[in-house]
Amino acid sequence: MNAALVLHAVELMLGERRLIGPLDLSVAPGEIVTLMGPSGCGKSSLLGYLCGTLDPAIRGAGRVMLGVDDISILAPERRRVGILFQDDLLFPHLSVAENLAFGLPAAIHGRAARRARVEAALSEADLEGFADRDPATLSGGQRARIALLRTLLAAPRALLLDEPFSKLDASLRDRIRHFVFEHARLNDLPCLLVTHDPADAQAAGGRVFEAGTSE
Amino acid sequence: MAAPLQRLIPRKTMLRHAPSLTLGLFLIPIGAGLIGTWLPAFGYLPALGGAGLDLESWRRLLTHPSLPAALRLTLTSGILASVLSLALVIAFVSGCHGTRLYHRLHRILAPVLAVPHVAIAIGLAFLIAPSGWLARLISPWATGWTTPPDVATVNDPYGLALTLGLVVKEVPYLLLMTMAALGQVQAARRMAVARSLGYGPVVGWLKTVLPAVYGLIRLPIYAVIAYSLSVVDMAMVLAPATPPPLAVLILRWFNDPDLSLRFQAAAGAVLQLLAVILVIAVWNLLERAVMRLGRRWIVGGRRGGGGGAAAMAAGGAMSLLFAAAGLSVAVLGIWSLAGRWRYPGAFPVDMSFATWGRHLPGLSWAASTTLIAGAVAAALALALALACLENEQRNALRTTNRALWLLYAPLLVPQVAFLFGFQVIAVRAGIDGTWMTLIWSHVLFVLPYVFLSLAEPYRSLDERYARAARCLGASPNRVFWRVKAPMLLRPIAIAFAMGFAVSVAQYLPTLFAGGGRFVTLTTEAVALSGGGGRRVAGVFAFAQAALPLLVFALALGVPAWIHRHRQALRSAP
């Protein structure tokens, strides 16, 4: 019942230099599309444009649709586009449970109900008992999983992945990749992955595009 | 064809006006105050019967018998203090960067800065006077003195005691600004390159780091010059009285029962401003000359040695200076508790809280006024600074060099040059002697420090946290309150404490804007230093030093306690 993420003639310009596009792309619910490109080619900026946090120095144009909704005119917090970055960016001043509750929509009322949702998410990810931990005391793999849970608890309609595996240990990378992709499919989310690591693209197992054949 | 960015940013009218509101709050009192001072300087002040424009007040100012000596004293002590402070800071940082001493001083810098000028001045006087603590500590066994020697070590005619006091107070400030600048110019990398090319640590620093750092501490240096040339409160304690430095002389005329003296006082205030402008202009010319010569020296190829001796001398001098600040506060505490203390005993014969008890009513009254003014002024300044910084971030603005000059305006324009005019206008507006005017005048001087102390941590907070929060559905306001503010709790608390300390230290603004109706620990301490007895002066000056220190301790302790289970924030700078 989720909608596809559709890009219409999306392009990014830095001054007179074209970073990306014009790009037409449709990502179906549950599909993972990979955008490959060297660092600095503007693929992270593309994700910034999709979720509304583009660096103001870069001009973006083109429509971004989720089903019939044009989200490119919405403020970032109204787009319901989840994103995972290279770093987990768990808020250091909040506990694990508070980080997750930050993502949870306010529509879920009541302290107990919210706590229950958070606990359920943790146990589903084999992280029972971590609710009151300080994020700084967790391992990289645990933090990465919690970052994904936080994003999913916000009930996104699409998922963007900004090289989220590049800083993980090689031994962890496979497991976290699997964890993220599985959740994206389970939640039936259209998912756009940008990376420079061919192994990521291979693991995603979907369509692969080359971005910004850089000058 | 560009994305409709404006629509993405919810319009926050209040926030958008933060910078202009802040600048208005600044520039209106200073601008109006300057004009309100200039008009009487040229004979126009209808309230006192001055209706025409003439040069009579200038004639009376320039022919005043005290003026030449006062001006000379102002220039010598102010320039000497500025040069010494800068030289000591450069010598110390170039010689001692990376040492244990450097890091230890870095850690105690903020509390030392928090001690108000007046407390340092009074403590220093209690320390170095012929009958002071230092003389007592080494007498009679080392000196043979059984009565204080007849040497003027305080209020000396050359203003050396004042110069020393200024150096003790200004060096920590310049040091803080320099240390903050080092991070911005990537000093460690410059040094690594210089060392690998065979340069010694001191010469390498002077040749590769200083040229970049100097540009960043130029405004703070000018602020030090302006302050040193126009200081009033420290001068009333440490400088000679006949004649005093120019700023004190002007203040005396302003406060004289003979109201006609206000015209020449206003002219004096203009002269004070001119003196500051002139000295800064000459300094600026010398800067250029030194830079030109320095360039030749830099490319000359001399590597310099290990610099051990220079480093030791600079480290020793800096340690002495910090020790002087610490001992000044300590001696205030001892005098406040002293019972009988006969010369040359090193310590009082008996100690008690008798003096504190006797002055408790007056003390608590002055302390509450100080506390209220300081807390409100610091909170207002904090709100304005946060609003400006948040506005800057939301709209991706950069602070320009010109804005930085405006921010420094209250620190560059001598207080005595515009506060009289500010008072005249406040009287006309019917707001003189009110809490609002008092706090407004304090905010003027509090805001620059709060802003400068907050700007660096605010701008260097990883903006991706905010982005992540937005993508989780948080509005910009929620991001501010729930993510940025809690993560920045420690720098915010420190900025507040810094602002509080600046407010506590204000003497002239309290006097002028308060219309003489507000008694703070600072005004009391200055009044008592003139002959109220060391014990009671010790009580008020120690309380004046203790209050900001207490707030600083809270500013460090409360965030640490709140974040006691959050490793990543506890170890943050």
Side-chain angles (χ1 to χ4, degrees):
Chain A
M1 70 168 277
N2 273 335
L5 172 69
V6 182
L7 281 60
H8 283 301
V10 167
E11 56 179 358
L12 299 182
M13 305 285 291
L14 180 60
E16 290 306 301
R17 195 159 75 92
R18 179 180 302 277
L19 296 174
I20 293 270
L23 181 65
D24 287 286
L25 180 65
S26 173
V27 187
E31 187 190 10
I32 301 168
V33 170
T34 305
L35 202 61
M36 295 275 298
S39 44
C41 75
K43 51 193 197 311
S44 289
S45 300
L46 175 67
L47 298 192
Y49 180 69
L50 300 186
C51 60
T53 58
L54 185 63
D55 180 341
I58 300 174
R59 269 182 310 125
R63 282 196 300 163
V64 185
M65 313 285 292
L66 267 171
V68 294
D69 303 328
D70 183 353
I71 60 165
S72 42
I73 56 166
L74 296 176
E77 66 269 22
R78 306 210 166 277
R79 297 189 177 195
R80 292 179 58 199
V81 173
I83 181 164
L84 283 184
F85 300 93
Q86 271 185 17
D87 295 289
D88 51 73
L89 297 177
L90 294 178
F91 301 128
H93 62 291
L94 301 178
S95 69
V96 168
E98 287 166 340
N99 261 287
L100 295 178
F102 187 94
L104 209 55
I108 296 164
H109 278 304
R111 191 186 287 248
R114 292 177 71 80
R115 179 76 184 197
R117 278 298 297 275
V118 167
E119 297 278 5
L122 281 172
S123 73
E124 186 262 343
D126 290 330
L127 289 166
E128 292 105 333
F130 280 79
D132 296 318
R133 290 279 292 273
D134 176 1
T137 64
L138 305 185
S139 72
Q142 290 163 340
R143 293 170 60 104
R145 279 186 285 163
I146 290 163
L148 176 70
L149 292 181
R150 184 176 70 174
T151 302
L152 294 179
L153 282 176
R157 302 204 290 165
L159 184 62
L160 307 178
L161 303 173
D162 190 355
E163 306 206 34
F165 316 117
S166 61
K167 286 199 177 169
L168 293 171
D169 287 344
S171 56
L172 265 174
R173 208 173 293 160
D174 256 344
R175 282 175 43 208
I176 301 296
R177 263 192 208 122
H178 183 72
F179 182 80
V180 170
F181 294 151
E182 187 188 62
H183 277 82
R185 292 199 182 97
L186 275 174
N187 287 276
D188 210 23
L189 294 171
C191 181
L192 183 58
L193 165 71
V194 301
T195 182
H196 64 269
D197 182 357
D200 283 350
Q202 208 173 11
R207 286 183 289 154
V208 179
F209 293 86
E210 292 288 332
T213 40
S214 56
E215 299 144 63
Chain B
M1 86 155 239
L5 194 66
Q6 287 310 316
R7 269 184 287 170
L8 303 186
I9 300 163
R11 294 220 169 233
K12 286 283 169 287
T13 350
M14 295 272 286
L15 197 61
R16 225 155 31 88
H17 292 307
S20 30
L21 178 72
T22 308
L23 280 182
L25 221 56
F26 257 26
L27 299 183
I28 289 169
I30 297 178
L34 283 174
I35 294 169
T37 308
W38 291 341
L39 289 177
F42 293 95
Y44 182 80
L45 185 61
L48 294 181
L53 286 175
D54 56 49
L55 295 175
E56 175 60 17
S57 34
W58 282 91
R59 197 190 56 76
R60 281 165 60 186
L61 170 73
L62 296 175
T63 57
H64 195 281
S66 293
L67 186 76
L71 197 56
R72 185 181 47 79
L73 189 61
T74 288
L75 291 174
T76 51
S77 58
I79 294 173
L80 191 60
S82 308
V83 172
L84 282 178
S85 301
L86 180 63
L88 187 54
V89 166
I90 290 178
F92 175 73
V93 179
S94 67
C96 302
H97 56 89
T99 63
R100 284 241 304 279
L101 178 66
Y102 181 90
H103 292 295
R104 206 172 292 165
L105 291 188
H106 190 170
R107 232 171 298 140
I108 59 167
L109 252 184
V112 172
L113 268 172
V115 179
H117 296 87
V118 171
I120 292 279
I122 296 177
L124 208 56
F126 288 4
L127 211 54
I128 62 171
S131 60
W133 203 22
L134 289 184
R136 288 170 195 255
L137 284 174
I138 56 167
S139 299
W141 52 274
T143 59
W145 296 334
T146 48
T147 54
D150 188 20
V151 207
T153 49
V154 176
N155 312 119
D156 61 294
Y158 302 106
L160 294 178
L162 173 63
T163 306
L164 177 66
L166 284 167
V167 171
V168 169
K169 196 55 200 147
E170 296 306 329
V171 159
Y173 167 67
L174 270 186
L175 195 55
L176 179 80
M177 301 312 279
T178 307
M179 285 173 164
L182 287 180
Q184 288 182 52
V185 300
Q186 297 180 311
R189 274 163 61 180
R190 287 168 190 259
M191 276 312 287
V193 172
R195 296 298 291 274
S196 74
L197 293 173
Y199 283 85
V202 177
V203 170
W205 194 91
L206 293 174
K207 287 189 170 184
T208 64
V209 181
L210 181 61
V213 163
Y214 191 87
L216 294 173
I217 59 168
R218 177 179 285 120
L219 275 174
I221 291 170
Y222 292 176
V224 166
I225 296 173
Y227 182 83
S228 302
L229 286 171
S230 61
V231 61
V232 168
D233 46 12
M234 285 190 115
M236 289 176 75
V237 179
L238 293 172
T242 46
L246 182 60
V248 178
L249 190 63
I250 296 167
L251 179 66
R252 259 189 224 161
W253 292 337
F254 274 136
N255 286 337
D256 201 285
D258 178 1
L259 296 179
S260 68
L261 287 186
R262 301 210 168 179
F263 290 97
Q264 80 194 50
V270 178
L271 183 64
Q272 174 78 64
L273 179 65
L274 289 176
V276 168
I277 292 174
L278 190 74
V279 171
I280 290 181
V282 170
W283 186 288
N284 185 280
L285 286 178
L286 288 175
E287 259 172 26
R288 289 162 201 261
V290 169
M291 264 185 233
R292 186 158 299 176
L293 290 175
R295 203 169 280 268
R296 231 182 284 164
W297 179 67
I298 288 171
V299 298
R302 301 262 291 272
R303 291 330 201 229
M312 229 149 77
M318 191 58 93
S319 307
L320 273 180
L321 211 68
F322 274 75
L327 285 176
S328 298
V329 178
V331 76
L332 292 174
I334 294 178
W335 267 112
S336 77
L337 297 173
R340 282 168 301 151
W341 192 355
R342 227 168 266 129
Y343 196 86
F347 289 96
V349 181
D350 41 31
M351 290 169 89
S352 72
F353 283 98
T355 318
W356 285 84
R358 235 188 341 272
H359 294 278
L360 202 57
L363 184 70
S364 41
W365 184 252
S368 5
T369 308
T370 309
L371 193 68
I372 294 169
V376 176
L380 273 177
L382 192 60
L384 286 168
L386 282 171
C388 286
L389 288 166
E390 178 66 9
N391 179 64
E392 174 187 295
Q393 241 166 36
R394 282 191 198 176
N395 298 322
L397 306 172
R398 287 271 168 76
T399 308
T400 58
N401 219 6
R402 202 184 324 155
L404 208 57
W405 271 90
L406 289 177
L407 192 64
Y408 266 92
L411 311 183
L412 293 174
V413 180
Q415 291 189 343
V416 79
F418 74 93
L419 281 173
F420 170 66
F422 182 59
Q423 189 192 28
V424 169
I425 288 163
V427 170
R428 284 291 299 264
I431 55 167
D432 64 310
T434 60
W435 277 101
M436 187 195 90
T437 311
L438 176 76
I439 286 165
W440 190 359
S441 74
H442 281 205
V443 167
L444 223 54
F445 305 101
V446 168
L447 187 59
Y449 290 101
V450 170
F451 190 92
L452 292 171
S453 121
L454 202 54
E456 222 282 308
Y458 204 89
R459 289 177 184 144
S460 57
L461 180 70
D462 190 341
E463 39 115 23
R464 291 177 312 161
Y465 283 110
R467 238 190 286 168
R470 290 294 295 278
C471 294
L472 289 168
S475 67
N477 284 337
R478 186 168 150 84
V479 172
F480 174 80
W481 290 109
R482 297 291 304 279
V483 177
K484 288 187 194 168
M487 283 181 74
L488 292 168
L489 187 60
R490 188 183 142 95
I492 287 175
I494 289 175
F496 177 86
M498 191 100 117
F500 182 81
V502 172
S503 165
V504 169
Q506 294 308 316
Y507 175 68
L508 268 193
T510 311
L511 221 56
F512 275 113
R517 264 169 253 178
F518 290 92
V519 175
T520 65
L521 291 174
T522 302
T523 60
E524 275 302 88
V526 173
L528 290 167
S529 72
R534 283 190 177 173
R535 287 168 187 79
V536 53
V539 165
F540 278 87
F542 185 79
Q544 191 214 12
L547 202 58
L549 286 176
L550 202 69
V551 171
F552 242 101
L554 284 176
L556 294 178
V558 170
W561 186 80
I562 290 177
H563 289 149
R564 66 196 176 285
H565 300 308
R566 300 285 174 257
Q567 261 178 32
L569 291 173
R570 256 184 328 186
S571 50

